[in-house]
């Protein structure tokens, strides 16, 4: 009986850890979602469908405050890798994709203020 209780407890812990790990957003995910946006962000014009899909995916994946802060820091780091990033294009990206996103695309944002 004790062995069954321990087994049940172990299974519950593994399930909980899997759920926590799945919910955490990574910079790799952020970079992959925004990679199709690089031409728009550096050259202007209109964002493509793949770009807007990535922005929508990013927005959907960043549901918690911690995820939004992580995503913000990842976006900020990515933006700083592109010296030719057009700030006006970055600021207009969500609206051009027809969505509202709580993660600014900026090189200078203070991500600690994101809630």
């Amino acid at each position: 009986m004790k062995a069954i209780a321990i087994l049940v407890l172990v299974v519950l812990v593994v399930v909980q850890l899997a759920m926590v790990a799945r919910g955490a957003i990574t910079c790799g995910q952020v970079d992959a979602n925004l990679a199709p946006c690089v031409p728009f962000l550096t050259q202007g014009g209109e964002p493509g469908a793949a770009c807007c899909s990535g922005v929508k995916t990013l927005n959907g994946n960043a549901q918690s405050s911690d995820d939004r802060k992580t995503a913000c820091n990842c976006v900020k780091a990515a933006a700083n890798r592109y010296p030719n990033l057009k700030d006006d294009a970055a600021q207009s990206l969500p609206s051009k994709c027809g969505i509202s996103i709580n993660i600014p695309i900026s090189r200078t944002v203070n991500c600690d203020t994101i809630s």
Side-chain angles (χ1 to χ4, degrees), residues 51-97:
C51 170
C52 290
S53 177
V55 173
K56 289 175 185 170
T57 299
L58 173 61
N59 193 44
N61 288 342
Q63 292 298 309
S64 73
S65 178
D66 285 342
D67 281 346
R68 285 189 292 277
K69 285 180 184 177
T70 298
C72 177
N73 281 306
C74 295
V75 168
K76 183 177 179 179
N80 281 306
R81 288 194 299 265
Y82 294 94
N84 58 340
L85 181 123
K86 297 180 182 297
D87 292 324
D88 57 335
Q91 291 174 358
S92 70
L93 179 59
S95 64
K96 287 207 177 234
C97 288

Side-chain angles (χ1 to χ4, degrees), residues 7 9 23 29-30 34-36 39 42 50 56 65-66 75 77-78 86 90 100 106 111:
L7 180 62
L9 183 60
Q29 291 170 318
V30 172
L34 295 181
T42 57
K56 289 175 185 170
S65 178
D66 285 342
V75 168
K86 297 180 182 297
S100 176
S106 168
C111 295

